[in-house]
Amino acid sequence: MHGFETRAIHAGQEPDPRTGAVIPPIYATSTYAQDGVGGLREGYEYSRTGNPTRAALEECFAALEGGARGLAFASGMAAEDTLLRAVLRPGDHIVIPDDAYGGTFRLVSKVVERWGVSWTPVPVGDPDAVRAAVRPETKIVWVETPTNPLLGVADVAALAAVAHDAGALLVVDNTFATPYLQQPLSLGADVVVHSTTKYCGGHSDVVGGALVAADAALGDELAFHQNTIGAVAGPFDAWLVLRGLKTLGVRMDRHCDNAERIVALLTEHPRVAQVLYPGLPDHPGHDVAAKQMSRFGGMVSFRVADGEQAAVDVCDRARVFTLGESLGGVESLIEHPGRMTHASAAGSALEVPGDLVRLSVGIETVDDLLADLTHALST
Ligand SMILES: *Cc1c(COP(=O)(O)O)cnc(C)c1O
Protein backbone atom coordinates (compact mmCIF):
# COMPACT_ATOMS: atom_id res chain seq x y z
CA MET A 1 0.00 0.00 0.00
CA HIS A 2 1.19 3.49 -0.81
CA GLY A 3 2.10 5.96 1.92
CA PHE A 4 -0.38 8.39 3.43
CA GLU A 5 0.44 11.44 1.29
CA THR A 6 0.47 9.37 -1.91
CA ARG A 7 -2.99 8.05 -1.08
CA ALA A 8 -4.19 11.55 -0.16
CA ILE A 9 -3.11 12.85 -3.56
CA HIS A 10 -4.05 9.89 -5.78
CA ALA A 11 -6.62 7.56 -4.20
CA GLY A 12 -9.87 7.69 -6.18
CA GLN A 13 -8.30 10.18 -8.57
CA GLU A 14 -7.06 8.55 -11.77
CA PRO A 15 -6.52 11.10 -14.56
CA ASP A 16 -9.75 11.66 -16.49
CA PRO A 17 -9.87 8.95 -19.22
CA ARG A 18 -11.19 11.33 -21.88
CA THR A 19 -8.99 14.40 -21.41
CA GLY A 20 -6.22 13.34 -19.05
CA ALA A 21 -7.24 16.05 -16.57
CA VAL A 22 -5.23 15.21 -13.45
CA ILE A 23 -7.85 16.64 -11.12
CA PRO A 24 -11.32 15.07 -10.96
CA PRO A 25 -13.78 17.45 -12.62
CA ILE A 26 -16.64 18.98 -10.64
CA TYR A 27 -19.48 16.93 -12.09
CA ALA A 28 -22.23 19.52 -11.64
CA THR A 29 -25.00 17.28 -12.89
CA SER A 30 -28.10 15.83 -11.28
CA THR A 31 -28.70 13.06 -13.81
CA TYR A 32 -26.89 10.90 -16.38
CA ALA A 33 -27.84 9.81 -19.92
CA GLN A 34 -28.49 6.08 -20.16
CA ASP A 35 -27.42 3.90 -23.10
CA GLY A 36 -30.86 2.36 -23.52
CA VAL A 37 -33.21 1.79 -20.59
CA GLY A 38 -31.16 0.71 -17.59
CA GLY A 39 -27.88 1.10 -19.50
CA LEU A 40 -26.01 3.05 -16.83
CA ARG A 41 -22.50 4.28 -17.52
CA GLU A 42 -20.31 3.12 -14.64
CA GLY A 43 -23.41 2.82 -12.47
CA TYR A 44 -24.26 6.53 -12.52
CA GLU A 45 -27.98 7.19 -12.50
CA TYR A 46 -28.81 10.18 -10.28
CA SER A 47 -26.49 12.37 -8.19
CA ARG A 48 -28.04 11.77 -4.78
CA THR A 49 -27.20 8.11 -5.32
CA GLY A 50 -23.81 8.68 -6.87
CA ASN A 51 -21.69 11.46 -8.37
CA PRO A 52 -18.15 10.98 -9.73
CA THR A 53 -16.67 13.92 -7.81
CA ARG A 54 -18.17 12.67 -4.57
CA ALA A 55 -17.14 9.11 -5.42
CA ALA A 56 -13.52 10.27 -5.78
CA LEU A 57 -13.66 11.84 -2.32
CA GLU A 58 -15.34 8.77 -0.83
CA GLU A 59 -12.70 6.45 -2.24
CA CYS A 60 -9.94 8.74 -0.99
CA PHE A 61 -11.43 8.76 2.51
CA ALA A 62 -11.66 4.97 2.59
CA ALA A 63 -8.00 4.78 1.54
CA LEU A 64 -6.86 7.32 4.15
CA GLU A 65 -8.69 5.72 7.08
CA GLY A 66 -8.04 2.17 5.91
CA GLY A 67 -11.73 1.24 5.68
CA ALA A 68 -13.87 -0.78 3.28
CA ARG A 69 -16.10 2.15 2.33
CA GLY A 70 -16.11 5.93 2.63
CA LEU A 71 -19.17 8.16 2.32
CA ALA A 72 -19.32 11.95 2.01
CA PHE A 73 -22.08 14.10 3.48
CA ALA A 74 -23.31 17.68 3.48
CA SER A 75 -21.96 18.23 7.00
CA GLY A 76 -20.47 16.35 9.91
CA MET A 77 -23.88 16.35 11.57
CA ALA A 78 -25.50 14.87 8.43
CA ALA A 79 -22.94 12.05 8.57
CA GLU A 80 -23.69 11.45 12.27
CA ASP A 81 -27.46 11.51 11.73
CA THR A 82 -27.23 9.02 8.88
CA LEU A 83 -25.05 6.68 10.94
CA LEU A 84 -27.35 6.81 13.98
CA ARG A 85 -30.46 6.19 11.88
CA ALA A 86 -28.81 3.30 10.08
CA VAL A 87 -27.74 1.51 13.26
CA LEU A 88 -30.26 2.35 16.00
CA ARG A 89 -33.81 1.08 16.57
CA PRO A 90 -36.36 1.97 19.29
CA GLY A 91 -35.28 0.41 22.58
CA ASP A 92 -31.57 0.62 21.78
CA HIS A 93 -29.00 2.40 23.92
CA ILE A 94 -25.94 4.46 23.08
CA VAL A 95 -22.97 5.52 25.19
CA ILE A 96 -21.68 9.01 24.40
CA PRO A 97 -18.79 11.04 25.82
CA ASP A 98 -19.75 13.27 28.74
CA ASP A 99 -17.91 16.03 26.89
CA ALA A 100 -19.21 15.17 23.41
CA TYR A 101 -19.15 17.75 20.64
CA GLY A 102 -22.18 19.96 21.34
CA GLY A 103 -23.91 19.12 18.07
CA THR A 104 -23.55 15.40 18.76
CA PHE A 105 -24.94 15.88 22.26
CA ARG A 106 -27.90 17.85 20.84
CA LEU A 107 -28.59 15.26 18.13
CA VAL A 108 -28.62 12.40 20.63
CA SER A 109 -30.41 14.15 23.49
CA LYS A 110 -32.98 16.16 21.51
CA VAL A 111 -33.62 14.09 18.38
CA VAL A 112 -32.49 10.47 18.69
CA GLU A 113 -33.99 10.18 22.17
CA ARG A 114 -37.44 10.91 20.73
CA TRP A 115 -37.22 7.74 18.66
CA GLY A 116 -37.06 5.69 21.84
CA VAL A 117 -33.29 5.41 22.10
CA SER A 118 -31.71 5.90 25.52
CA TRP A 119 -28.23 7.27 26.08
CA THR A 120 -25.67 7.52 28.84
CA PRO A 121 -22.98 10.22 29.00
CA VAL A 122 -19.72 8.70 30.23
CA PRO A 123 -16.13 9.90 30.74
CA VAL A 124 -14.82 7.86 27.81
CA GLY A 125 -11.23 8.44 28.93
CA ASP A 126 -11.98 5.72 31.52
CA PRO A 127 -12.63 2.32 29.84
CA ASP A 128 -13.99 0.91 33.12
CA ALA A 129 -16.64 3.64 33.22
CA VAL A 130 -17.64 2.69 29.68
CA ARG A 131 -17.74 -1.00 30.60
CA ALA A 132 -20.01 -0.16 33.53
CA ALA A 133 -22.34 1.85 31.27
CA VAL A 134 -22.90 -0.69 28.47
CA ARG A 135 -26.01 -2.88 28.60
CA PRO A 136 -27.49 -5.63 26.46
CA GLU A 137 -29.32 -2.95 24.43
CA THR A 138 -26.18 -0.91 23.77
CA LYS A 139 -25.58 -0.74 20.02
CA ILE A 140 -23.01 2.07 19.82
CA VAL A 141 -20.14 3.31 21.96
CA TRP A 142 -19.37 6.77 20.61
CA VAL A 143 -15.98 8.32 21.25
CA GLU A 144 -14.13 11.49 20.41
CA THR A 145 -10.42 11.72 20.97
CA PRO A 146 -8.99 14.24 21.58
CA THR A 147 -12.11 16.01 22.84
CA ASN A 148 -13.31 19.55 22.46
CA PRO A 149 -12.39 21.86 24.16
CA LEU A 150 -10.72 20.07 27.11
CA LEU A 151 -8.59 17.79 24.90
CA GLY A 152 -9.38 14.64 26.86
CA VAL A 153 -8.01 11.41 25.38
CA ALA A 154 -9.77 8.04 25.05
CA ASP A 155 -8.03 4.70 24.49
CA VAL A 156 -9.49 3.51 21.18
CA ALA A 157 -8.12 -0.05 21.37
CA ALA A 158 -9.37 -0.54 24.94
CA LEU A 159 -12.80 0.85 24.07
CA ALA A 160 -13.05 -1.32 20.95
CA ALA A 161 -12.67 -4.35 23.23
CA VAL A 162 -15.34 -3.02 25.63
CA ALA A 163 -17.77 -2.25 22.79
CA HIS A 164 -17.25 -5.57 21.03
CA ASP A 165 -17.64 -7.58 24.25
CA ALA A 166 -21.04 -5.91 24.56
CA GLY A 167 -21.96 -6.57 20.93
CA ALA A 168 -21.84 -2.84 20.14
CA LEU A 169 -20.06 -0.84 17.47
CA LEU A 170 -17.24 1.52 18.38
CA VAL A 171 -17.65 4.82 16.53
CA VAL A 172 -14.77 7.31 16.68
CA ASP A 173 -15.17 10.97 15.76
CA ASN A 174 -11.69 11.54 14.30
CA THR A 175 -12.22 15.21 13.42
CA PHE A 176 -9.54 16.60 15.77
CA ALA A 177 -6.79 14.09 15.01
CA THR A 178 -7.50 13.38 11.30
CA PRO A 179 -6.33 10.13 9.68
CA TYR A 180 -2.85 11.62 9.37
CA LEU A 181 -2.31 11.56 13.14
CA GLN A 182 -4.61 8.71 14.21
CA GLN A 183 -6.22 5.73 12.46
CA PRO A 184 -9.05 4.44 14.65
CA LEU A 185 -10.04 1.56 12.35
CA SER A 186 -6.57 0.07 12.72
CA LEU A 187 -7.11 0.19 16.51
CA GLY A 188 -10.36 -1.76 16.29
CA ALA A 189 -13.01 0.92 15.73
CA ASP A 190 -15.88 0.05 13.39
CA VAL A 191 -16.78 3.46 11.99
CA VAL A 192 -14.91 6.76 11.77
CA VAL A 193 -16.84 10.04 11.65
CA HIS A 194 -15.47 13.32 10.34
CA SER A 195 -16.51 16.88 10.17
CA THR A 196 -14.54 17.59 6.99
CA THR A 197 -15.35 21.23 7.66
CA LYS A 198 -12.31 21.20 9.94
CA TYR A 199 -8.81 19.85 9.15
CA CYS A 200 -9.74 17.66 6.18
CA GLY A 201 -11.13 20.60 4.20
CA GLY A 202 -8.61 22.71 6.04
CA HIS A 203 -9.30 26.14 4.53
CA SER A 204 -12.51 27.22 6.30
CA ASP A 205 -14.30 27.37 2.96
CA VAL A 206 -16.60 24.34 3.08
CA VAL A 207 -18.97 22.47 5.40
CA GLY A 208 -18.89 18.71 5.00
CA GLY A 209 -18.82 15.35 6.71
CA ALA A 210 -17.70 11.79 6.15
CA LEU A 211 -18.13 8.26 7.42
CA VAL A 212 -15.69 5.42 6.89
CA ALA A 213 -16.76 1.88 7.75
CA ALA A 214 -14.23 -0.86 8.44
CA ASP A 215 -16.61 -3.54 7.20
CA ALA A 216 -18.09 -3.71 3.68
CA ALA A 217 -21.54 -4.89 4.80
CA LEU A 218 -21.90 -2.02 7.25
CA GLY A 219 -20.55 0.31 4.53
CA ASP A 220 -23.31 -0.87 2.19
CA GLU A 221 -25.92 -0.32 4.89
CA LEU A 222 -24.64 3.21 5.46
CA ALA A 223 -24.63 3.87 1.71
CA PHE A 224 -28.26 2.71 1.53
CA HIS A 225 -29.15 5.22 4.26
CA GLN A 226 -27.03 7.94 2.66
CA ASN A 227 -29.05 7.58 -0.54
CA THR A 228 -32.36 7.21 1.30
CA ILE A 229 -31.87 10.20 3.61
CA GLY A 230 -30.07 12.25 0.97
CA ALA A 231 -27.79 14.52 3.01
CA VAL A 232 -24.99 14.10 0.48
CA ALA A 233 -22.03 16.36 -0.23
CA GLY A 234 -22.58 18.38 -3.41
CA PRO A 235 -19.96 18.07 -6.18
CA PHE A 236 -18.27 21.42 -5.53
CA ASP A 237 -18.08 20.80 -1.79
CA ALA A 238 -16.72 17.31 -2.42
CA TRP A 239 -14.10 18.80 -4.74
CA LEU A 240 -13.00 21.33 -2.12
CA VAL A 241 -12.55 18.63 0.51
CA LEU A 242 -10.69 16.46 -2.00
CA ARG A 243 -8.35 19.37 -2.69
CA GLY A 244 -7.90 19.94 1.02
CA LEU A 245 -6.98 16.31 1.66
CA LYS A 246 -4.04 16.52 -0.75
CA THR A 247 -2.16 18.78 1.68
CA LEU A 248 -3.49 17.28 4.92
CA GLY A 249 -0.14 15.75 5.87
CA VAL A 250 1.98 18.87 5.37
CA ARG A 251 -0.66 21.04 7.01
CA MET A 252 -0.97 18.79 10.04
CA ASP A 253 2.79 18.71 10.51
CA ARG A 254 2.88 22.51 10.53
CA HIS A 255 -0.20 22.72 12.79
CA CYS A 256 1.63 20.42 15.22
CA ASP A 257 4.96 22.29 14.96
CA ASN A 258 3.25 25.62 15.66
CA ALA A 259 1.10 24.18 18.45
CA GLU A 260 4.19 22.78 20.19
CA ARG A 261 5.89 26.19 20.12
CA ILE A 262 2.75 27.85 21.49
CA VAL A 263 2.39 25.25 24.23
CA ALA A 264 6.00 25.97 25.25
CA LEU A 265 5.23 29.70 25.47
CA LEU A 266 2.00 29.21 27.41
CA THR A 267 3.39 26.73 29.95
CA GLU A 268 6.04 29.32 30.93
CA HIS A 269 3.64 32.25 31.01
CA PRO A 270 2.81 33.69 34.46
CA ARG A 271 -0.77 34.57 33.44
CA VAL A 272 -1.55 31.03 32.32
CA ALA A 273 -2.79 28.72 35.07
CA GLN A 274 -2.93 25.50 33.05
CA VAL A 275 -2.25 24.34 29.49
CA LEU A 276 -4.34 21.48 28.10
CA TYR A 277 -2.46 19.64 25.33
CA PRO A 278 -2.12 15.86 24.98
CA GLY A 279 1.55 16.30 24.07
CA LEU A 280 2.38 17.52 27.58
CA PRO A 281 3.80 14.73 29.76
CA ASP A 282 1.58 15.79 32.69
CA HIS A 283 -1.61 15.56 30.58
CA PRO A 284 -3.68 12.67 32.01
CA GLY A 285 -4.14 11.17 28.54
CA HIS A 286 -0.56 11.66 27.41
CA ASP A 287 0.53 8.00 27.44
CA VAL A 288 -2.55 6.83 25.55
CA ALA A 289 -2.22 9.69 23.07
CA ALA A 290 1.45 8.86 22.53
CA LYS A 291 0.47 5.25 21.83
CA GLN A 292 -2.30 5.93 19.32
CA MET A 293 -1.38 9.28 17.71
CA SER A 294 1.74 10.04 15.68
CA ARG A 295 1.70 13.66 16.96
CA PHE A 296 -0.62 15.63 19.22
CA GLY A 297 -2.45 17.97 16.89
CA GLY A 298 -3.12 21.66 16.45
CA MET A 299 -5.72 22.28 19.15
CA VAL A 300 -4.54 23.88 22.40
CA SER A 301 -6.65 25.06 25.34
CA PHE A 302 -5.49 27.00 28.38
CA ARG A 303 -6.89 28.52 31.56
CA VAL A 304 -6.15 32.14 32.32
CA ALA A 305 -4.96 32.73 35.88
CA ASP A 306 -7.10 35.82 36.53
CA GLY A 307 -10.44 34.21 35.69
CA GLU A 308 -13.25 34.55 33.19
CA GLN A 309 -13.05 38.24 32.34
CA ALA A 310 -9.30 37.95 31.83
CA ALA A 311 -9.88 35.01 29.46
CA VAL A 312 -12.44 37.05 27.49
CA ASP A 313 -9.94 39.95 27.33
CA VAL A 314 -7.22 37.67 25.95
CA CYS A 315 -9.60 36.59 23.17
CA ASP A 316 -10.49 40.21 22.41
CA ARG A 317 -6.86 41.40 22.28
CA ALA A 318 -5.59 38.79 19.80
CA ARG A 319 -5.14 40.08 16.25
CA VAL A 320 -3.40 37.40 14.16
CA PHE A 321 -5.58 34.82 15.90
CA THR A 322 -9.06 35.55 14.57
CA LEU A 323 -11.83 35.51 17.16
CA GLY A 324 -14.19 32.86 15.87
CA GLU A 325 -15.75 29.44 16.19
CA SER A 326 -14.84 26.34 14.20
CA LEU A 327 -11.30 25.02 13.86
CA GLY A 328 -8.85 23.19 11.65
CA GLY A 329 -8.27 25.83 8.98
CA VAL A 330 -4.92 27.24 7.88
CA GLU A 331 -5.69 30.43 9.81
CA SER A 332 -5.36 30.57 13.59
CA LEU A 333 -8.54 31.01 15.59
CA ILE A 334 -9.10 31.91 19.23
CA GLU A 335 -12.32 31.56 21.16
CA HIS A 336 -13.89 31.57 24.60
CA PRO A 337 -15.73 28.21 24.76
CA GLY A 338 -17.84 29.16 27.80
CA ARG A 339 -19.46 32.07 25.94
CA MET A 340 -19.12 30.83 22.36
CA THR A 341 -18.97 27.20 21.19
CA HIS A 342 -20.05 25.75 24.54
CA ALA A 343 -22.43 28.48 25.76
CA SER A 344 -25.40 26.11 25.40
CA ALA A 345 -23.67 23.66 27.77
CA ALA A 346 -23.88 26.09 30.72
CA GLY A 347 -25.52 24.38 33.66
CA SER A 348 -25.19 20.90 32.10
CA ALA A 349 -22.64 18.12 32.56
CA LEU A 350 -20.81 19.57 29.56
CA GLU A 351 -20.22 23.02 31.09
CA VAL A 352 -16.64 24.23 30.59
CA PRO A 353 -14.60 26.49 32.91
CA GLY A 354 -15.12 30.23 32.41
CA ASP A 355 -11.38 30.92 32.40
CA LEU A 356 -10.80 28.62 29.43
CA VAL A 357 -9.47 29.83 26.06
CA ARG A 358 -9.31 27.52 23.03
CA LEU A 359 -6.85 27.94 20.17
CA SER A 360 -7.01 26.36 16.74
CA VAL A 361 -3.37 26.89 15.87
CA GLY A 362 -2.98 27.66 12.17
CA ILE A 363 -0.01 27.44 9.86
CA GLU A 364 1.05 31.10 9.78
CA THR A 365 4.63 32.11 10.63
CA VAL A 366 5.00 30.86 14.17
CA ASP A 367 6.84 33.96 15.43
CA ASP A 368 3.81 36.06 14.51
CA LEU A 369 1.55 33.71 16.46
CA LEU A 370 3.85 33.78 19.49
CA ALA A 371 4.06 37.59 19.40
CA ASP A 372 0.27 37.86 19.07
CA LEU A 373 -0.35 35.64 22.10
CA THR A 374 2.31 37.45 24.12
CA HIS A 375 0.51 40.70 23.32
CA ALA A 376 -2.94 39.22 24.06
CA LEU A 377 -1.71 37.98 27.44
CA SER A 378 -0.09 41.29 28.43
CA THR A 379 -1.96 43.32 31.03
C1 LIG B 1 -17.59 20.48 13.87
C2 LIG B 1 -17.66 19.13 14.48
C3 LIG B 1 -18.72 18.25 14.22
C4 LIG B 1 -19.91 18.65 13.36
O1 LIG B 1 -19.56 18.87 12.03
P1 LIG B 1 -20.29 19.95 11.08
O2 LIG B 1 -19.49 19.84 9.82
O3 LIG B 1 -20.20 21.29 11.75
O4 LIG B 1 -21.70 19.50 10.91
C5 LIG B 1 -18.69 16.99 14.79
N1 LIG B 1 -17.68 16.62 15.60
C6 LIG B 1 -16.65 17.44 15.89
C7 LIG B 1 -15.56 16.96 16.80
C8 LIG B 1 -16.60 18.71 15.34
O5 LIG B 1 -15.58 19.53 15.66
Side-chain angles (χ1 to χ4, degrees), residues 80-89 92-97 108 112 117-120 130 133-143 159 163-164 166-172 190-191 193 218 222:
E80 294 189 15
D81 180 44
T82 302
L83 170 61
L84 293 172
R85 286 202 240 182
V87 175
L88 299 174
R89 303 286 180 275
D92 287 345
H93 174 254
I94 168 173
V95 172
I96 63 167
V108 170
V112 176
V117 171
S118 59
W119 51 280
T120 308
V130 176
V134 295
R135 320 177 194 156
E137 316 80 68
T138 307
K139 292 289 160 21
I140 292 177
V141 174
W142 188 286
V143 171
L159 293 176
H164 295 160
L169 298 176
L170 181 69
V171 172
V172 177
D190 300 286
V191 183
V193 175
L218 178 59
L222 296 174

Side-chain angles (χ1 to χ4, degrees), residues 149-312:
L150 297 172
L151 297 162
V153 171
D155 187 330
V156 175
L159 293 176
V162 172
H164 295 160
D165 285 351
L169 298 176
L170 181 69
V171 172
V172 177
D173 183 333
N174 204 27
T175 298
F176 270 40
T178 82
Y180 182 66
L181 300 180
Q182 172 173 283
Q183 307 230 314
L185 302 184
S186 74
L187 299 165
D190 300 286
V191 183
V192 164
V193 175
H194 277 285
S195 169
T196 58
T197 313
K198 316 295 168 48
Y199 288 106
C200 290
H203 296 74
S204 305
D205 53 8
V206 61
V207 170
L211 298 175
V212 183
D215 170 73
L218 178 59
D220 290 347
E221 184 72 13
L222 296 174
F224 169 79
H225 282 79
Q226 179 196 42
N227 181 41
T228 303
I229 295 168
V232 293
F236 182 56
D237 289 355
W239 183 87
L240 282 172
V241 175
L242 200 52
R243 184 167 75 155
L245 284 177
K246 290 178 192 292
T247 55
L248 181 65
V250 288
R251 283 188 289 108
M252 290 314 292
D253 273 331
R254 184 61 69 85
H255 284 295
C256 293
D257 290 346
N258 286 359
E260 286 168 11
R261 293 282 303 278
I262 283 166
V263 166
L265 173 96
L266 293 173
T267 44
E268 294 298 318
H269 201 286
R271 292 198 65 217
V272 174
Q274 188 189 5
V275 183
L276 306 174
Y277 187 65
L280 286 170
D282 65 354
H283 184 287
H286 175 72
D287 291 345
V288 171
K291 186 180 70 173
Q292 68 190 17
M293 300 176 77
S294 57
R295 297 185 71 183
F296 302 102
M299 298 301 295
V300 179
S301 293
F302 62 99
R303 300 182 70 169
V304 179
D306 303 324
E308 176 157 355
Q309 188 54 48
V312 170

